[in-house]
Amino acid sequence: MAGLILLVGIWQTTPAKPELVDVLVCVYDIGDAGPLEKVTAKFDRERISYRVVAIGKAAEKLGVSESLVSLKDLKSKEIINLPREKLLSEQLLKDISAQCQPKVVLAGMAAACQAQLLNHFKAQGAYTVAFYDNFDPITTKEYVQPFLKEVGKIDVYMIPAKATLKSFQEHERTKSAKLEVVGQPMLEEWDEIFTVTKRADLRKKIGLADADQVVLFVGGYDDTYQEYFTRFVEGAKKLEGQKDVKFLVTYHPKTDGSLEKKVITEQKATNVQVIDKGGPSSMQLATLAKVLVCHKSGMGMQALYKGLSVVYVVKKGSYPNFALEQGLAEQVEAADEVAETLQRLLAAANSNRADIKDLGVPRDATLAIVGEIKERIGK
């Protein structure tokens, strides 16, 4: 009997072995969670096993899922609000390693902890992949700097466009890695939404007449955003006399729309309508739009892909952008410029569609990303 008790004691204290998985995915922002969700959906279809470390707004978006790795040291609120610059504790890294042992780690580039996880598993022999979800040069994007500061020598960076490649080739932290231009999986979602959206029903839902011309503004949140959103609203107000021109505004998922509503109220802009969370998405609304306007949003390049005219309301020279450099999109600063440019683009709507070849964005990004990973895991 004593021997049996001893065996039970040993069994109870033996730690469980980590789960062997093909891929560990690490997401932090809505920007990387969206495309990498499309990749994991393809994993499911291809029977590629994976687990997900979700932090920041990505954790809020994904909610509860069987694929999520437990972050035992952190409460739910701490996980969602973890700053981009903050690293995970050594104990938490050990806990993650104790839960799963991946052959490949695939992470976005939105936070230092994503670089930390790539470094950590690279040291354990995993093949490490960083996915950049934006089209702008990495030198100009504030949100990616904590990642770049922390990342070591990883295996490959997957990049959405040829125009974005140059900044990776020149950056000290990325230039020695393999660099692959794969496209952006979210463009596939744009294709799907533009195919399935019933535009007439959507117009009715948000109170638009058939003849109304739509200008869609997609929101941001950086230090200069309020100033330039205000200039956009001032410009939109100048077109109040054109009753068939309607302005729709969506706000960034990190915010609650209060800033946009405050500015619109202060400017008494009766032709500008905020679409709240829970309503149609920015992509759905883009199916109705003739022009998409933004401050510094990656959605501008995505809208160009679908042939919309795109306007950036931003200080000249402050936002290096391939679309602006190549004349594929417009840049304005003052309210008068906003009004004049929108009038011109609406009059010539759909006559200046950008060709995706000009953007240097490959199609079938999800297929390319999953194909690379399948090679690495031997499937």
Side-chain angles (χ1 to χ4, degrees), residues 241-256:
Q242 295 183 225
K243 298 300 182 184
D244 64 334
V245 178
K246 300 293 168 60
F247 294 88
L248 305 179
V249 173
T250 58
Y251 46 89
H252 195 276
K254 278 182 173 290
T255 69
D256 61 4

Side-chain angles (χ1 to χ4, degrees), residues 82-144:
L82 191 79
R84 290 187 196 279
E85 303 79 12
K86 189 171 177 61
L87 296 175
L88 305 178
S89 69
E90 285 300 317
Q91 184 56 53
L92 189 48
L93 288 177
K94 288 178 184 175
D95 287 344
I96 294 170
S97 292
Q99 291 177 68
C100 66
Q101 184 180 330
K103 296 176 184 174
V104 174
V105 179
L106 170 63
M109 295 175 57
C113 62
Q114 291 173 301
Q116 184 187 20
L117 281 164
L118 288 169
N119 296 342
H120 174 74
F121 283 102
K122 172 74 174 171
Q124 295 184 16
Y127 186 76
T128 45
V129 183
F131 171 75
Y132 184 54
D133 64 81
N134 208 288
F135 293 92
D136 299 328
I138 52 174
T139 47
T140 66
K141 296 308 290 184
E142 290 179 20
Y143 80 84
V144 80

Side-chain angles (χ1 to χ4, degrees), residues 53-68:
V53 173
I55 302 170
K57 283 291 177 182
E60 190 173 54
K61 183 178 190 292
L62 296 179
V64 179
S65 166
E66 290 180 5
S67 66
L68 290 179

